[in-house]
Amino acid sequence: MATSVPPSAGFPVTVSMLPPLERFVTELQDIWDSHRLTNAGPKVQAFESALRDRLGTSHCLTFCNGGAALLAGIAALKLEGEVVTTPFTFPGTTHCLALNRLTPVFADVDPVTYNLDPAAIEAAITPRASAILAVHVFGNPCDVEAIEEIACRRGLKVIYDGAHAFGVRVRGKNLADYGDVQMFSFNATKLLTTGEGGCLVYKDATLEDDLRRLRRWGMLEEGDVTMPGANAMLSEIHAALGICNLEQLEEERRQRQQVVAAYREHLAGLRGVELPSEPSEVEPALTYFVVRITPEFGCSRDALLQRLRDQGVLARRYFYPLCSRLPCYSHLPGAEPGATPQAVRIAEEVISLPLYGGLGSAGAEQVCQIIATAQADR
């Protein structure tokens, strides 16, 4: 289990979950004995099997990172034209569309969930649209029923960037059940980590050959090249770490739930601090704890961020700036000034506080005390 970080070292925004070293060594021994390091070896196959069981899906392939998985998933759908998406996301989401020669069309987001607003999606669809790419921002599930109804009615594919949302359930149903393709990330900042890695869940079994080719230089077997591809395979060592971390995932979740409870207790009622929604029908991601610092707080989000960092709390703005304000995307539909007012305001107010099991309730309370003192000093 990840160890706590002493206050003298400060509080990072996250600490990667790691298994006991001796447990990891037992997995490594198999790799050393086999000399098999890559090319979908036994550890990758075992990890993919465990992921399918965990996510309740029949189709799941691992990749070297979440971005590679999303790139391949979009490519396998063979889309053209425009894709309606969110400006409030990590730039990698938008890059995956651009690298597939698709035109992102930005739509505004819901002020509570920070996810794409279904009404804004509907308004952004043109005859050139071929898909919707929605993001479960901070692990908060999108309005999947509304999005899939729109897609079905308008003849569009649905792609989900679930980088933050591994294991999230809505009304007992896993988020992996939704969308034509959906990516989950296992980056070091995520709850379940392989160091670097990701997976793609897909419904259509006929996509599998193309996805396997896309992650291995366009081939299924040596010399069998039928399409362009890349080297996007997860290594055996990364898969071994994933196998170990799956075993302790629930304990890390339990510890993070205690941290979240402490944040909610100590920040409740603090003027100008808007806590994340907590819908009863959602089993949460516990990947990030993000609050909004509204004008009522008395100082800006950025001023509070500097105050926290000065005292060793490495909180961060997330996501900032909006993708629609990046020079490479500011010319696109939906990037015009005033087009996405909710996203603009959210990007200026959100702050991601430290969240990891080893922080503990006491660590969360210290963070909250700094926030409360910052307000009192105004």
Side-chain angles (χ1 to χ4, degrees):
M1 185 62 62
T3 57
S4 71
V5 176
S8 60
F11 295 125
V13 74
T14 191
V15 172
S16 300
M17 178 174 63
L18 291 173
L21 183 57
E22 60 273 16
R23 172 66 188 94
F24 188 40
V25 169
T26 63
E27 295 291 330
L28 291 180
Q29 187 64 59
D30 295 338
I31 297 172
W32 258 244
D33 291 343
S34 70
H35 288 253
R36 180 77 177 268
L37 294 178
T38 188
N39 286 343
K43 295 301 179 188
V44 165
Q45 293 176 44
F47 185 44
E48 288 178 346
S49 177
L51 290 173
R52 287 192 291 269
D53 290 343
R54 179 84 187 194
L55 296 171
T57 183
S58 299
H59 305 295
C60 175
L61 287 176
T62 55
F63 288 78
C64 60
N65 55 57
L70 188 57
L71 268 170
I74 295 169
L77 293 176
K78 298 179 172 60
L79 303 170
E80 295 181 348
E82 298 176 346
V83 176
V84 178
T85 192
T86 174
F88 187 64
T89 184
F90 185 68
T93 307
T94 315
H95 294 341
C96 286
L97 293 174
L99 289 170
N100 273 291
R101 301 192 177 192
L102 296 163
T103 301
V105 175
F106 298 114
D108 209 0
V109 301
D110 180 272
V112 175
T113 67
Y114 311 154
N115 295 324
L116 275 174
D117 181 341
I121 294 173
E122 190 90 60
I125 294 171
T126 76
R128 297 180 296 279
S130 59
I132 300 164
L133 170 50
V135 181
H136 304 302
V137 176
F138 307 132
N140 300 320
C142 295
D143 189 342
V144 286
E145 287 87 0
I147 289 173
E148 304 219 347
E149 187 279 329
I150 293 170
C152 182
R153 178 163 41 81
R154 303 295 292 267
L156 306 177
K157 297 292 186 181
V158 177
I159 306 154
Y160 287 113
D161 179 338
H164 304 169
F166 182 84
V168 172
R169 303 180 72 87
V170 181
R171 291 178 289 278
K173 189 174 181 179
N174 200 297
L175 275 185
D177 289 340
Y178 296 94
D180 292 283
V181 298
Q182 181 159 192
M183 176 271 283
F184 298 103
S185 173
F186 306 137
N187 176 266
T189 62
K190 305 304 185 288
L191 175 58
L192 175 64
T193 181
T194 58
E196 282 287 2
C199 74
L200 191 79
V201 174
Y202 49 99
K203 288 181 178 176
D204 184 354
T206 65
L207 296 179
E208 181 154 333
D209 278 0
D210 279 358
L211 289 168
R212 288 185 181 275
R213 290 180 185 277
L214 285 161
R215 75 171 183 176
R216 192 188 175 196
W217 296 119
M219 67 180 77
L220 292 177
E221 301 295 339
E222 192 71 29
D224 172 33
V225 180
T226 61
M227 64 189 301
N231 182 1
M233 291 176 286
L234 189 71
S235 80
E236 291 289 277
I237 294 172
H238 289 89
L241 182 57
I243 290 168
C244 295
N245 275 337
L246 271 174
E247 296 172 354
Q248 58 180 6
L249 184 62
E250 290 310 311
E251 174 59 19
E252 175 69 13
R253 283 181 54 82
R254 185 190 67 79
Q255 292 187 27
R256 290 190 180 207
Q257 285 170 338
Q258 294 177 342
V259 174
V260 168
Y263 275 138
R264 289 189 176 278
E265 176 185 353
H266 295 290
L267 293 176
L270 194 60
R271 188 182 71 255
V273 178
E274 188 175 303
L275 298 176
S277 61
E278 196 175 21
S280 59
E281 73 274 13
V282 174
E283 185 176 332
L286 299 172
T287 304
Y288 300 97
F289 190 81
V290 177
V291 300
R292 288 178 72 170
I293 305 302
T294 67
E296 292 75 23
F297 184 78
C299 71
S300 70
R301 181 271 313 274
D302 288 355
L304 175 60
L305 181 68
Q306 190 59 54
R307 178 72 168 262
L308 287 163
R309 289 179 174 175
D310 288 345
Q311 299 191 48
V313 178
L314 304 182
R316 62 175 293 194
R317 300 181 297 187
Y318 202 39
F319 306 97
Y320 183 88
L322 291 176
C323 288
S324 54
R325 291 192 167 180
L326 300 175
C328 49
Y329 300 125
S330 60
H331 64 286
L332 293 174
E336 306 88 356
T340 58
Q342 294 293 346
V344 168
R345 182 178 176 188
I346 290 165
E348 293 172 348
E349 294 181 348
V350 294
I351 185 169
S352 182
L353 301 178
L355 179 58
Y356 50 94
L359 179 65
S361 300
E365 184 175 357
Q366 289 182 52
V367 174
C368 295
Q369 288 173 347
I370 296 170
I371 295 172
T373 302
Q375 183 177 76
D377 288 347
R378 299 309 300 168

